[in-house]
């Protein structure tokens, strides 16, 4: 995969606004973001500067701020980072977890929306609880999710797929400067593989197109081959890889 640095930066910039944190600090080339440990995107250090690097003092600072939140320090390694940074983090006992692909596509020929998908501009309490519950695991805390969602400032839609009067899938679309970010796409386990996720994503892209977006982007775990296959079938291509470096805790 040949990385388009300009496209990677465009996605990274918008992702920071589409998925905000509770606390954001500027430290040199880095944004340090924390949100009670809910998701790596909002609880990590991210750079927007090509060649972004950290010396030992900056690594110590990142670790200390994360410790105040009671979570391990995470550094997102994007194509914007200095090529030597990972070796320095490895020497400081930062371990790699959950590599993630940033994907993008033009949406001019995206499919029309599905009538079963509702697209309100704000989530209600039931939406937040159901979304978190369907994710489960470390992302099952609706209170932590709410703290992130209530801080989204660009135009957004909180999609729900309705099947026989029941909410069975959820997702978020956030538009900024001609791009829509798709995130937290989740389908009830008993309905996965039945086209629900495809309909939800297509509806969000159609909504984005109607509201001025020309491209759609998303992030997906390298190990989530089912989701990656869906997104490739929907016309998304890999743009870059994020490698998460997490400080091992004693």
């Amino acid at each position: 995969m040949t990385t388009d640095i300009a496209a990677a930066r465009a996605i990274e910039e918008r992702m920071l606004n589409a998925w905000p944190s509770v606390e954001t600090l500027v430290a040199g080339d880095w944004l340090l973001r924390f949100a009670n440990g809910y998701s790596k995107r909002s609880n990590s250090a991210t750079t927007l500067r090509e060649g972004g690097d950290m010396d030992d003092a900056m690594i110590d600072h990142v670790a200390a701020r994360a410790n105040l939140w009671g979570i391990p320090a995470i550094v997102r390694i994007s194509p914007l980072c200095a090529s030597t940074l990972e070796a320095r983090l490895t020497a400081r006992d930062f371990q790699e977890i959950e590599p993630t692909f940033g994907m993008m596509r033009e949406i001019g020929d995206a499919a029309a929306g599905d009538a079963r998908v509702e697209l309100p501009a704000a989530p209600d309490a039931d939406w937040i609880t159901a979304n978190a519950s369907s994710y489960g695991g470390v992302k099952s805390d609706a209170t932590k999710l709410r703290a992130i969602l209530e801080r989204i400032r660009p135009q957004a839609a909180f999609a729900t797929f309705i099947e026989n009067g029941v909410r069975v899938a959820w997702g978020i679309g956030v538009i900024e400067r001609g791009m829509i970010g798709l995130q937290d796409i989740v389908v009830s386990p008993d309905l996965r593989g039945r086209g629900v996720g495809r309909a939800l994503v297509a509806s969000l892209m159609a909504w984005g197109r109607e509201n001025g977006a020309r491209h759609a982007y998303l992030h997906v775990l390298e190990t989530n081959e089912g989701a990656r296959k869906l997104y490739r079938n929907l016309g998304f291509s890999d743009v870059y890889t994020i490698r998460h470096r997490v400080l091992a805790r004693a």
Side-chain angles (χ1 to χ4, degrees):
M1 176 177 63
T2 301
T3 300
D4 183 333
I5 297 296
R9 175 174 173 132
I11 293 172
E12 287 289 284
E13 284 183 9
R14 290 161 176 81
M15 177 279 297
L16 292 169
N17 294 326
W19 193 252
S21 60
V22 175
E23 173 183 275
T24 299
L25 299 173
V26 178
D29 297 336
W30 297 85
L31 294 176
L32 313 186
R33 292 163 27 99
F34 304 101
N36 301 300
Y38 192 100
S39 87
K40 297 181 296 300
R41 286 170 292 168
S42 54
N43 291 274
S44 53
T46 296
T47 187
L48 291 176
R49 178 183 178 275
E50 191 169 350
D53 204 354
M54 289 186 180
D55 58 16
D56 283 333
M58 182 62 73
I59 294 172
D60 289 341
H61 180 60
V62 172
R65 294 303 307 181
N67 188 60
L68 290 175
W69 282 83
I71 61 175
I74 302 175
V75 180
R76 296 176 72 254
I77 304 296
S78 76
L80 298 173
C81 295
S83 60
T84 56
L85 178 56
E86 280 197 274
R88 185 173 298 112
L89 292 172
T90 298
R92 293 291 305 270
D93 207 18
F94 279 73
Q95 302 171 357
E96 182 176 348
I97 66 165
E98 299 182 340
T100 298
F101 287 97
M103 306 181 76
M104 184 167 66
R105 63 154 289 178
E106 293 186 13
I107 58 174
D109 61 347
D114 191 299
R116 295 168 292 178
V117 177
E118 296 180 350
L119 295 159
D124 59 28
D126 288 343
W127 189 101
I128 296 171
T129 298
N131 179 282
S133 177
S134 293
Y135 257 109
V138 297
K139 298 186 75 175
S140 62
D141 192 318
T143 299
K144 292 180 180 179
L145 175 58
R146 182 181 295 105
I148 293 171
L149 301 185
E150 68 185 12
R151 287 171 168 80
I152 296 174
R153 294 296 178 265
Q155 183 181 7
F158 296 83
T160 308
F161 187 102
I162 308 295
E163 179 78 8
N164 297 322
V166 179
R167 294 176 171 183
V168 297
W170 303 262
I172 305 169
V174 181
I175 297 174
E176 183 184 353
R177 289 177 290 155
M179 297 174 67
I180 178 171
L182 309 178
Q183 50 200 13
D184 260 29
I185 307 296
V186 60
V187 178
S188 294
D190 57 333
L191 289 178
R192 290 171 187 170
R194 293 173 53 181
V196 174
R198 173 183 290 271
L200 192 76
V201 171
S203 295
L204 282 167
M205 285 196 293
W207 173 83
R209 179 178 56 204
E210 292 168 2
N211 287 278
R214 299 180 298 280
H215 293 83
Y217 71 88
L218 53 85
H219 292 88
V220 61
L221 288 175
E222 181 182 58
T223 55
N224 192 347
E225 186 53 38
R228 292 196 66 216
K229 181 179 180 180
L230 167 64
Y231 296 135
R232 287 194 297 267
N233 288 341
L234 283 167
F236 286 85
S237 300
D238 296 339
V239 177
Y240 65 111
T241 303
I242 292 290
R243 294 187 299 281
H244 301 92
R245 287 286 183 163
V246 181
L247 179 61
R249 304 181 76 184

